[in-house]
Amino acid sequence: MNIGLCRVSSVSQKDNSSIPHQKKMIGDYCKMYNIELNEIITEVMSGVKSNRDGLNHLKDLVESGKVESVIVMKLDRLMRSFTEGVIFIKYLLDNNVKIISVLEQIDTSSVSGRFLVNILLSMSEMERDTIVQRLNNGKDKTFNDKKKVSGRIPYGYHKDGGIVSPNPDETKVVQYIFKKYLSLTKRGFTPIKRMVQLKKLLKQNGYSYRGKEFSSSNINYILKNSFYCGEMKYGNKVSKHMYDTIISTRMYNLVHK
């Protein structure tokens, strides 16, 4: 059997690498070289992952001894990671299955073809790592500029036109939680009783967490979030952020005393 393999990372992949485009390229190649195409496997998943439904189906066919060749539009459709790619290519070659790349004009039935496969997979991984590095560099710059890097906007703030600022309605709830929690602590309430009482008071005041009743985890998230007093975290880094604070550092420290 000669098996075609088409893969995209998302359903919105551009036309020049979409599933229909890959199918056409593989089909035209097989007609040109008089190769009988028995099946085309398609999948929508990142090529970094080796545990994919389409790839697993292909492995089952290989294990049955029915596959003569695997045909892809480009090698990065087979596997994006160099390490995983080399392992899978070796697996195919060990099972006497040749790999054909249409655009790169590679056929692993030759020594030069196998050599080129390793070079191209290495370049593919380098391209991916370069993109990741650029993204991380951008995040580092954002953090160094004292701006929020990623993740959800904390309760008490909202984002409008890319600008993060306090949400007046939620701000008063955050301030209420800190003040009331500190008051309950001073009155000798145990941590469990503080939480029970605080949830009761929030409900009585009609305060909600984005449309729902406050849960213990919601309250803990707020009490432990130093973003409210001007601190920002990214990985192992800690810095002051540029946004307006909702509570004072003193209040935060008293709650966590």
Side-chain angles (χ1 to χ4, degrees):
M1 296 176 68
N2 299 298
I3 309 296
L5 178 65
C6 304
R7 180 190 63 79
V8 291
S9 299
S10 65
V11 291
S12 60
Q13 198 91 18
K14 294 179 181 178
D15 290 341
N16 62 359
S17 57
S18 65
I19 292 290
H21 181 70
Q22 291 181 53
K23 282 185 175 181
K24 184 178 185 306
M25 293 287 290
I26 291 171
D28 290 347
Y29 180 92
C30 290
K31 287 178 183 177
M32 182 182 298
Y33 291 95
N34 198 28
I35 298 173
E36 182 183 358
L37 185 60
N38 303 99
E39 182 180 346
I40 294 183
I41 298 171
T42 62
E43 55 184 4
V44 179
M45 188 170 285
S46 169
V48 176
K49 299 178 181 178
S50 57
N51 185 18
R52 296 153 27 200
D53 290 341
L55 213 58
N56 291 337
H57 174 50
L58 177 58
K59 288 178 183 177
D60 289 339
L61 293 175
V62 170
E63 293 292 339
S64 70
K66 298 177 181 178
V67 181
E68 179 182 343
S69 65
V70 174
I71 307 156
V72 292
M73 185 185 78
K74 288 180 67 179
L75 282 175
D76 64 4
R77 299 301 91 193
L78 181 65
M79 200 78 76
R80 190 75 167 163
S81 164
F82 176 66
T83 304
E84 296 286 348
V86 169
I87 291 171
F88 188 67
I89 286 171
K90 186 177 185 303
Y91 164 78
L92 292 177
L93 296 177
D94 287 347
N95 283 276
N96 298 314
V97 177
K98 67 180 180 180
I99 303 141
I100 298 172
S101 171
V102 175
L103 290 181
E104 291 144 341
Q105 296 184 351
I106 292 173
D107 187 332
T108 57
S109 59
S110 68
V111 174
S112 60
R114 288 193 291 272
F115 177 70
L116 282 171
V117 161
N118 286 337
I119 291 175
L120 289 170
L121 280 171
S122 181
M123 290 173 65
S124 177
E125 184 175 45
M126 184 177 70
E127 178 190 3
R128 181 178 63 85
D129 289 345
T130 299
I131 292 171
V132 171
Q133 186 179 45
R134 285 173 182 168
L135 288 173
N136 288 336
N137 288 343
K139 289 179 179 179
D140 285 339
K141 184 180 184 306
T142 299
F143 182 80
N144 291 333
D145 289 342
K146 302 186 181 303
K147 297 178 182 178
K148 192 170 185 342
V149 176
S150 58
R152 61 178 176 173
I153 303 299
Y155 178 89
Y157 289 87
H158 59 185
K159 196 171 186 178
D160 185 16
I163 299 173
V164 177
S165 60
N167 179 324
D169 293 332
E170 294 179 354
T171 291
K172 66 179 181 181
V173 181
V174 173
Q175 292 170 341
Y176 177 86
I177 289 172
F178 272 89
K179 289 176 182 177
K180 191 58 64 174
Y181 189 87
L182 185 58
S183 172
L184 293 171
T185 301
K186 289 179 177 178
R187 289 169 59 186
F189 280 62
T190 65
I192 293 176
K193 287 185 177 180
R194 282 177 227 158
M195 193 61 65
V196 171
Q197 184 65 13
L198 192 48
K199 285 199 294 184
K200 181 180 177 181
L201 291 170
L202 287 167
K203 187 175 181 180
Q204 286 178 353
N205 282 279
Y207 295 147
S208 64
Y209 185 86
R210 293 172 176 167
K212 297 179 181 179
E213 280 189 22
F214 270 94
S215 66
S216 297
S217 61
N218 296 148
I219 296 171
N220 276 321
Y221 161 74
I222 289 171
L223 290 171
K224 293 179 180 179
N225 197 340
S226 57
F227 192 89
Y228 298 118
C229 65
E231 190 176 83
M232 179 174 62
K233 298 176 182 178
Y234 171 54
N236 296 323
K237 301 176 181 179
V238 179
S239 176
K240 290 291 183 180
H241 62 65
M242 61 176 289
Y243 311 108
D244 293 337
T245 58
I246 290 178
I247 62 165
S248 66
T249 302
R250 181 175 178 276
M251 170 64 78
Y252 183 85
N253 290 335
L254 284 171
V255 166
H256 293 277
K257 188 174 180 181

